[in-house]
């Protein structure tokens, strides 16, 4: 049965046959007229039987072809006749407004059939779309209010169907552009969303097997077309007059795919739509926020900075609707604090500020927001630092307002309350444990930028946390120490300085000193105490521990840091904070440090350290072992090598040397000699005189003759020292110098093992040195013989001032005569020089009369030994021998002439004696 309908309007139109039902209006298209009827039902479709007031028209038009033929015959019979409604329901005003619209709709019949026909080829479809563009879209845009909306009701399904299913890309592209043009011009698009958005879902969403390819990408392969479709979705959302939440499921399905589209421009449009939907319809957006946040996270690491910034904007807007999964996704957001592009970081700080100030559950995520702000305070761009400081002040003001009971006491008594950051400091303390735990993990991250970001944030955190960080240093300091090998070690040292100024010194030392033998810990400690309020007791504990560490490991890693510590400790001592124990510990530590770091010598040369050197030496001389390889011996060696010469060459050093074994003496002797010569250059005569007097007994005992190679080595090491010290100890102090022997006998040994009494010098210091030196000159070491000759030469040169007697001369001249045949020419010349000085300076050898003179037989013996060397091939030796004869001739000419006349006739250089006749 045909439905009874009411004719709304009847107008002449183009001869396009067909029937279309659009919403509640049925458009009957005949060859000569368009009859618009209203069915009262919205579910009719083309081909329904339609009744009207014209009886002929009610003849059951059961098929489209039959209706078309019938209308054609009817119109040909009365071509000029116009069917006029015979009812009072006709609305002339509405008919006038829809005149253009109905004409445009009539034009849709043929292009629509072409587009819907699966047999249509590419060119036919493109021509149909071009026809729609030129004959329908362009005229419809001219009158958006009266024409565009009715046309769009008819055209939107046609274009949407083409957009969703047409295999021709150009056709889809033209359909998309026409839809965008119409939607942009339409005053409202709410009623068209059901026709357009499903097509967008088909092409853009990857939510099902029917709409996505095997890779999970959207069905639409053209990236330019995906961009057009995404823009169309954004246009629809922005043009909706009502809340666009009704389309949120479809929009979410599209956005979950497009926010990670391979084409960057598609992503940008998707991010904008996410932010728009989250802002306009937060309640409907909330159920879809979590999957969209998860999709946005991957976009935060995109290679283009513009994409990262836009993704951040969308992420912040989406998180405002539902922050349930915010903590899960936050690491990807926080990594953007390390972004190389300042614009991205600026967007990050803007998003975080918005969340921290406006998120309903913001204090649950306080640790996340504060951490990003701390990184912003350490940003390299000053403008971004200022931005984050402003955010911190805004957060602080909000916290003080909402949690007034927590900060009211501090507002009254805290001296820092006026800086505008009291609430922010309270928020930092509230979330300190969470932030420290995250930082410890990041400090062990395998990527250096993450570690550096954590250290930078910590540097900014510490001034806000202050002493409240104390409970977390047990795990924070080890993590920080491991970063000292990184390129950003300077930032780590700044963190160490901040820690040192924030916590109690006792706690700081207790945490670090047990690990001070580890080089990085030593470096960390040196920075941490830079601003720490250390008392003398703290310095003493620190320096003592370091001294022990250096004594057990002279090559302690991180030694430059130790030197820095010692320098600061030395400065503290100079400021009056020194105690005896601190000065001693500082001295010992400085000695060990100076052994491998010469710049630390300045520590030892501080007045406080110099003052305790004698006490350290006395301790070595009385309580500690100083044998070779003993720690005491090493300490003495460090003192001798590093301490100022004038400070270490004191009587206490002689007592230390006296307690050393022979191996230690051999090692120490060259060092002592070098320091003595250094002191001579510094004109420290008084110090050296006292040391020489104190070391006399030890020195004479050490160089006395003993058999064995070790004894020879000892004499070789000590005779050069004796050559320097004897002039200092003699003659002024000779009466005070003790004798080491009660009686001295020199001479050849008999067969029974007893020594013949060739000379009996009187007991005393002079006899000790002469006999010991003479005996030592028989050693194989050339240096020993040379030093012995130098000592004898000096003693002879001072002459009567030291109390020479014939017995003293008789004790040494046999050895000097023997040295005339020495293998070393310099020893031969030096020995001859000594014999010449005997006659120039010793009164006992200058005369033959009196009780205290040498017998002439000794002069003859010397002359005989010397004269033979006038024939020596070495000119220097010949000259030295002649000087001896000349000296003797001046005092004993008769003895010389008699010998020359009787004994020199066979000499090769006989003429050399002519001057003595």
């Amino acid at each position: 049965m045909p439905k009874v309908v009411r004719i709304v309007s009847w107008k002449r139109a183009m001869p396009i046959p067909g029937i279309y039902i659009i919403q509640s209006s049925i458009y009957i298209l005949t060859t000569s007229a368009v009859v618009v009827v209203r069915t009262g039902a919205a579910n009719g479709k083309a081909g329904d039987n339609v009744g009207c007031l014209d009886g002929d028209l009610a003849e059951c038009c059961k098929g489209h072809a039959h209706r078309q033929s019938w209308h054609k015959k009817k119109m040909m019979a009365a071509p000029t006749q116009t069917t006029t409604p015979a009812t009072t329901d006709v609305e002339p005003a509405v008919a006038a407004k829809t005149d253009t619209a109905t004409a445009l709709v009539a034009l849709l019949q043929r292009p629509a059939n072409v587009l819907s026909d699966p047999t249509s080829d590419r060119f036919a479809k493109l021509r149909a779309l071009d026809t729609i563009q030129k004959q329908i879209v362009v005229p419809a845009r001219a009158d958006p209010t009266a024409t565009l909306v009715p046309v769009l009701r008819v055209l939107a399904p046609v274009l949407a169907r083409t957009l969703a299913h047409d295999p021709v890309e150009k056709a889809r592209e033209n359909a998309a552009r026409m839809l965008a043009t119409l939607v942009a011009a339409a005053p409202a698009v709410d009623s068209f969303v059901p026709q357009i958005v499903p097509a967008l879902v088909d092409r853009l969403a990857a939510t099902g097997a029917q709409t996505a390819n095997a890779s999970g990408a959207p069905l639409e392969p053209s990236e330019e077309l995906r961009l057009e479709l995404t823009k169309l979705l954004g246009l629809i959302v922005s043009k909706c007059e009502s809340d666009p939440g009704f389309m949120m499921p479809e929009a979410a399905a599209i956005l979950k795919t497009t926010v990670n589209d391979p084409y960057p421009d598609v992503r940008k449009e998707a991010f904008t739509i996410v932010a728009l939907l989250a802002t306009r319809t937060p309640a409907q957006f909330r159920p879809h926020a979590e999957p969209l946040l998860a999709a946005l996270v991957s976009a935060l690491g995109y290679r283009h900075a513009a994409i990262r910034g836009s993704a951040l904007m969308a992420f912040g807007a989406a998180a405002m609707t539902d922050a349930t999964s915010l903590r899960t996704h936050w690491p990807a957001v926080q990594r953007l604090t390390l972004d190389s592009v300042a614009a991205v970081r600026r967007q990050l700080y803007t998003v975080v500020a918005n969340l921290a100030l406006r998120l309903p559950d913001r204090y649950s995520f306080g640790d996340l927001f504060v951490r990003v702000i701390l990184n912003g305070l350490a940003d390299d761009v000053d403008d971004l630092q200022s931005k984050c400081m402003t955010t911190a002040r805004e957060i602080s003001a909000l916290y003080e307002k909402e949690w007034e009971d927590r900060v009211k006491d501090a507002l009254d008594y805290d001296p820092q309350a006026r800086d505008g950051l009291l609430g922010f400091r309270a928020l930092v303390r509230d979330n300190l444990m969470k932030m420290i735990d995250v930082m410890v993990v990041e400090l062990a991250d395998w990527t250096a930028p993450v570690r550096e970001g954590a250290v930078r944030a910590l540097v900014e955190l510490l001034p806000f946390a202050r002493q409240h960080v104390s409970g977390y240093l047990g795990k924070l300091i080890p993590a920080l120490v491991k970063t000292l090998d990184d390129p950003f070690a300077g930032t780590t040292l700044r963190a160490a300085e901040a820690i040192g100024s924030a916590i109690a010194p006792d706690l700081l030392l207790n945490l670090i000193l047990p690990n001070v033998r580890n080089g990085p810990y030593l470096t960390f400690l040196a920075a941490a105490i830079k601003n720490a309020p250390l008392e003398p007791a703290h310095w003493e504990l620190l320096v003592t521990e370091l001294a022990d560490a250096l004594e057990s490991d002279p090559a302690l890693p991180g030694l430059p840091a130790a030197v820095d510590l010692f320098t600061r400790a030395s400065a503290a001592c100079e400021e009056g904070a020194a105690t005896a124990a601190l000065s001693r510990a500082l001295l010992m530590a400085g000695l060990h440090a100076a052994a491998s770091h010469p710049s630390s010598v300045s520590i030892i040369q501080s007045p406080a350290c110099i003052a305790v050197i004698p006490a350290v030496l006395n301790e070595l001389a009385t309580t500690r072992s100083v044998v070779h390889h003993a720690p005491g011996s090493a300490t003495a060696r460090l003192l001798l090598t590093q301490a100022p010469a004038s400070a270490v060459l004191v009587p206490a050093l002689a007592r230390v040397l006296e307690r050393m074994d022979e191996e230690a003496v051999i090692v120490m002797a060259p060092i002592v000699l070098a320091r003595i010569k250094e002191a001579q250059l510094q004109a420290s005569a008084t110090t050296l005189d006292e040391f020489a007097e104190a070391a006399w007994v030890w020195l004479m005992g050490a160089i006395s003759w003993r058999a064995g190679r070790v004894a020879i080595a000892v004499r070789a090491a000590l005779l050069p020292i004796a050559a320097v010290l004897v002039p200092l100890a003699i003659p002024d102090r000779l009466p005070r110098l003790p004798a080491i022997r009660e009686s001295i006998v020199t001479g050849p040994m008999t067969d029974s093992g007893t020594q013949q009494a060739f000379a009996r010098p009187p007991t005393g210091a002079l006899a000790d040195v002469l006999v010991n030196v003479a005996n030592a000159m028989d050693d194989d070491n050339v240096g020993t013989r040379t030093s012995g000759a130098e000592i004898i030469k000096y003693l002879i040169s001072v002459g009567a001032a030291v109390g020479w007697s014939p017995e003293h001369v008789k004790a040494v001249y046999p050895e000097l005569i023997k040295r005339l045949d020495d293998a070393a020419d310099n020893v031969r010349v030096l020995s001859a020089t000594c014999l010449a000085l005997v006659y120039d300076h010793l009164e006992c050898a200058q005369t033959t009369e009196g009780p205290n003179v040498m017998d002439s037989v000794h002069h003859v013996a010397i002359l005989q030994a010397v004269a033979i060397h006038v024939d020596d091939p070495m000119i220097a030796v010949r000259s030295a021998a002649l000087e001896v004869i000349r000296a003797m001739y001046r005092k004993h000419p008769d003895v010389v002439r008699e010998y020359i006349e009787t004994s020199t006739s066979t000499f090769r250089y006989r003429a050399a004696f002519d001057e003595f006749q």
Side-chain angles (χ1 to χ4, degrees):
M1 293 296 295
K3 294 183 179 178
V4 178
V5 298
R6 179 166 55 90
I7 296 177
V8 175
S9 63
W10 172 272
K11 296 294 180 182
R12 291 283 180 181
M14 296 293 294
I16 302 175
I19 300 175
Y20 287 90
I21 298 176
I22 300 142
Q23 292 187 356
S24 60
S25 297
I26 300 177
Y27 289 78
I28 305 175
L29 307 182
T30 68
T31 57
S32 59
V34 177
V35 180
V36 182
V37 297
R38 185 164 296 164
T39 63
N43 56 354
K45 60 182 181 293
D48 283 349
N49 292 331
V50 179
C52 61
L53 298 182
D54 189 342
D56 294 334
L57 201 61
E59 292 182 356
C60 194
C61 301
K62 296 184 179 179
H64 175 65
H66 177 73
R67 287 197 300 271
Q68 183 177 0
S69 177
W70 181 84
H71 281 291
K72 183 176 180 180
K73 290 187 293 182
K74 186 73 173 178
M75 296 306 170
M76 289 179 67
T80 60
Q81 183 181 358
T82 302
T83 305
T84 302
T87 177
T88 58
D89 291 338
V90 176
E91 303 173 4
V94 175
K97 291 182 180 180
T98 59
D99 185 21
T100 305
T102 54
L104 294 176
V105 169
L107 294 175
L108 281 175
Q109 174 62 37
R110 188 179 298 278
N113 290 340
V114 172
L115 292 175
S116 60
D117 188 355
T119 62
S120 299
D121 61 8
R122 171 189 179 90
F123 301 103
K125 292 180 180 180
L126 294 179
R127 284 195 301 271
L129 288 169
D130 186 60
T131 300
I132 294 175
Q133 171 68 24
K134 293 178 179 179
Q135 298 185 9
I136 299 175
V137 174
V138 174
R141 291 178 60 191
D143 187 8
T145 304
T147 306
L148 184 59
V149 173
V151 171
L152 189 58
R153 288 198 185 103
V154 179
L155 189 57
V158 175
L159 295 178
R161 183 168 60 250
T162 301
L163 185 64
H165 305 296
D166 201 296
V168 180
E169 179 180 323
K170 188 65 175 177
R172 298 196 303 273
E173 182 179 349
N174 291 342
R177 288 177 180 174
M178 280 188 282
L179 275 175
T181 301
L182 293 171
V183 170
V189 298
D190 302 54
S191 58
F192 312 122
V193 170
Q195 285 80 31
I196 301 175
V197 171
L200 299 181
V201 174
D202 288 342
R203 301 310 299 179
L204 295 178
T207 56
Q210 72 278 13
T211 57
N213 56 29
S215 63
L219 188 62
E220 178 54 58
S222 171
E223 59 185 19
E224 291 82 2
L225 188 49
R226 293 200 302 273
L227 176 61
E228 291 293 335
L229 297 180
T230 307
K231 287 182 178 180
L232 178 59
L233 176 62
L235 189 61
I236 291 173
V237 172
S238 62
K239 294 282 289 186
C240 281
E241 292 183 344
S242 60
D243 188 344
F246 67 91
M247 57 180 290
M248 193 60 226
E250 292 79 6
I254 295 172
L255 293 173
K256 281 187 289 187
T257 302
T258 53
V259 293
N260 287 309
D261 194 275
Y263 190 28
D265 289 351
V266 175
R267 292 184 181 224
K268 290 182 185 179
E269 293 297 330
F271 298 149
T272 303
I273 298 170
V274 170
L276 184 60
L277 286 172
T279 304
R280 288 195 60 184
T281 176
Q284 287 76 16
F285 190 93
R286 186 173 296 113
H288 309 279
E290 186 171 348
L292 281 173
L293 285 174
L296 288 168
V297 164
S298 59
L300 296 178
Y302 196 73
R303 62 185 180 273
H304 293 169
I307 297 299
R308 298 195 297 272
S310 299
L312 264 175
M313 173 196 66
F315 186 94
M320 286 294 294
T321 64
D322 183 11
T324 304
S325 60
L326 183 61
R327 191 172 295 275
T328 303
H329 304 310
W330 194 257
V333 178
Q334 184 176 303
R335 273 196 294 271
L336 293 178
T337 58
L338 309 176
D339 199 281
S340 59
V341 180
V344 176
R345 299 198 301 274
R346 182 185 300 277
Q347 182 66 52
L348 170 65
Y349 304 143
T350 301
V351 168
V352 170
N354 185 59
L355 290 173
L357 293 170
R358 295 174 179 81
L359 187 68
D361 198 19
R362 53 184 169 271
Y363 294 113
S364 299
F365 307 100
D367 58 310
L368 307 182
F369 304 148
V370 170
R371 171 59 194 281
V372 173
I373 294 171
L374 293 175
N375 278 104
L377 294 175
D379 199 282
D380 295 331
V381 180
D382 294 340
D383 184 42
L384 298 185
Q385 291 183 16
S386 301
K387 178 180 179 62
C388 290
M389 179 56 71
T390 301
T391 300
R393 295 185 185 281
E394 293 175 353
I395 293 173
S396 181
L398 183 62
Y399 188 96
E400 293 171 16
K401 178 180 178 181
E402 295 180 346
W403 301 97
E404 183 179 1
D405 56 328
R406 295 187 182 182
V407 297
K408 60 182 179 181
D409 292 337
L411 286 171
D412 296 332
Y413 303 109
D414 192 343
Q416 295 181 321
R418 297 181 180 179
D419 63 358
L421 293 170
L422 180 62
F424 189 75
R425 281 194 293 273
L427 184 61
V428 168
R429 292 194 298 269
D430 293 344
N431 297 278
L432 190 58
M433 182 176 69
K434 295 179 182 178
M435 289 190 289
I436 293 294
D437 289 342
V438 173
M439 287 180 181
V440 169
V441 174
E442 292 180 353
L443 288 172
D445 194 88
W446 68 279
T447 55
V450 174
R451 299 196 298 271
E452 182 179 6
V455 175
R456 282 172 169 260
L458 182 63
V459 171
E460 301 299 328
L461 169 72
L462 290 168
F464 294 106
R466 300 294 299 171
Q467 70 274 12
H468 299 281
V469 79
S470 302
Y472 310 101
L473 292 179
K475 54 186 175 182
L476 186 59
I477 289 179
L480 279 172
V481 167
K482 293 178 181 179
T483 66
L484 286 175
D485 293 330
D486 288 328
F488 54 87
T491 307
T492 302
L493 295 180
R494 286 173 49 208
E497 293 177 19
I499 289 174
S501 61
I503 66 173
D506 292 325
L507 176 60
L508 179 66
L509 296 180
N510 289 337
L511 288 171
I512 301 180
L513 283 183
N515 303 298
V516 79
R517 285 172 172 79
N518 187 339
Y521 275 90
L522 192 57
T523 304
F524 189 90
L525 177 61
I529 67 170
K530 185 174 291 186
N531 299 322
L534 297 183
E535 300 293 333
H538 300 134
W539 283 113
E540 181 178 340
L541 175 63
L542 188 155
V543 175
T544 302
E545 185 69 27
L546 285 179
D548 293 342
L550 282 169
E551 185 173 359
S552 60
D553 183 10
L556 183 68
L559 189 57
V563 173
D564 185 35
L565 283 172
F566 300 147
T567 303
R568 262 188 251 136
S570 177
C573 292
E574 293 177 2
E575 293 173 0
T579 62
L582 173 57
S583 298
R584 184 189 181 285
L586 182 60
L587 171 64
M588 301 306 297
L591 288 173
H592 291 289
S596 54
H597 203 285
S599 64
S600 61
V601 172
S602 59
I603 302 169
I604 308 168
Q605 295 174 348
S606 64
C609 290
I610 291 176
V612 297
I613 288 178
V616 174
L617 290 172
N618 283 326
E619 180 186 346
L620 292 174
T622 55
T623 61
R624 299 183 66 180
S625 173
V626 289
V627 298
H628 191 48
H629 297 308
S633 177
T635 301
R637 184 166 61 254
L638 287 173
L639 275 170
L640 273 173
T641 54
Q642 306 300 334
S646 58
V648 74
L649 294 175
V650 295
L653 176 62
R655 295 192 294 273
V656 175
L657 295 172
E658 188 175 355
R659 294 186 65 239
M660 288 185 174
D661 61 350
E662 293 175 331
E663 293 184 7
V665 168
I666 293 172
V667 173
M668 294 290 290
I671 304 173
V672 175
L673 178 61
R675 303 317 301 273
I676 292 174
K677 292 181 178 180
E678 181 182 339
Q680 285 180 317
L681 294 175
Q682 296 172 354
S684 304
T686 304
T687 302
L688 284 176
D689 291 349
E690 294 175 354
F691 173 70
E693 183 177 350
W696 181 262
V697 174
W698 162 74
L699 187 59
M700 291 299 103
I703 65 174
S704 61
W705 193 89
R706 291 186 303 279
R709 293 182 179 179
V710 176
I712 293 175
V714 170
R715 290 193 292 272
L718 295 182
L719 257 294
I721 296 177
V724 178
L725 290 183
V726 164
L728 299 174
I730 298 174
D732 295 340
R733 289 177 171 77
L734 187 61
R736 298 199 303 269
L737 295 177
I740 63 173
R741 289 181 175 87
E742 295 181 359
S743 63
I744 300 176
V745 178
T746 65
M749 301 297 294
T750 65
D751 295 337
S752 62
T754 62
Q755 193 170 24
Q756 298 180 10
F758 178 77
R760 292 181 180 274
T763 303
L766 180 59
D768 289 337
V769 65
L770 288 175
V771 171
N772 289 334
V773 169
N775 291 335
M777 289 181 69
D778 203 27
D779 289 346
D780 294 336
N781 188 281
V782 176
T784 302
R785 301 195 301 273
T786 303
S787 297
E790 292 283 356
I791 294 171
I792 294 174
K793 177 184 176 181
Y794 169 78
L795 292 173
I796 295 173
S797 65
V798 296
V802 296
W804 278 87
S805 67
E807 296 298 323
H808 289 117
V809 178
K810 290 160 60 177
V812 296
Y813 87 76
E815 189 61 35
L816 292 174
I817 291 174
K818 188 188 301 184
R819 291 305 107 204
L820 292 174
D821 294 320
D822 199 274
D825 292 337
N826 65 317
V827 176
R828 296 167 68 193
V829 173
L830 195 53
S831 299
T833 302
C834 291
L835 291 172
L837 291 175
V838 168
Y839 292 98
D840 288 338
H841 294 279
L842 298 183
E843 185 178 354
C844 62
Q846 294 174 350
T847 180
T848 57
E849 298 179 358
N852 193 26
V853 297
M854 288 176 60
D855 191 271
S856 60
V857 68
H858 298 293
H859 301 311
V860 174
I862 294 173
L863 183 58
Q864 289 175 344
V866 172
I868 195 172
H869 290 285
V870 175
D871 275 348
D872 198 278
M874 293 293 298
I875 296 176
V877 176
R878 283 204 310 268
S879 299
L882 285 172
E883 286 297 328
V884 176
I885 296 174
R886 291 188 188 104
M888 186 183 292
Y889 182 77
R890 287 192 292 269
K891 303 302 179 182
H892 306 285
D894 295 339
V895 174
V896 175
R897 279 196 296 268
E898 180 181 357
Y899 176 78
I900 291 173
E901 291 174 357
T902 60
S903 304
T904 61
S905 59
T906 60
F907 280 35
R908 179 170 44 183
Y909 295 102
R910 174 68 180 75
F913 294 101
D914 292 344
E915 65 178 287
F916 305 115
Q917 295 180 356

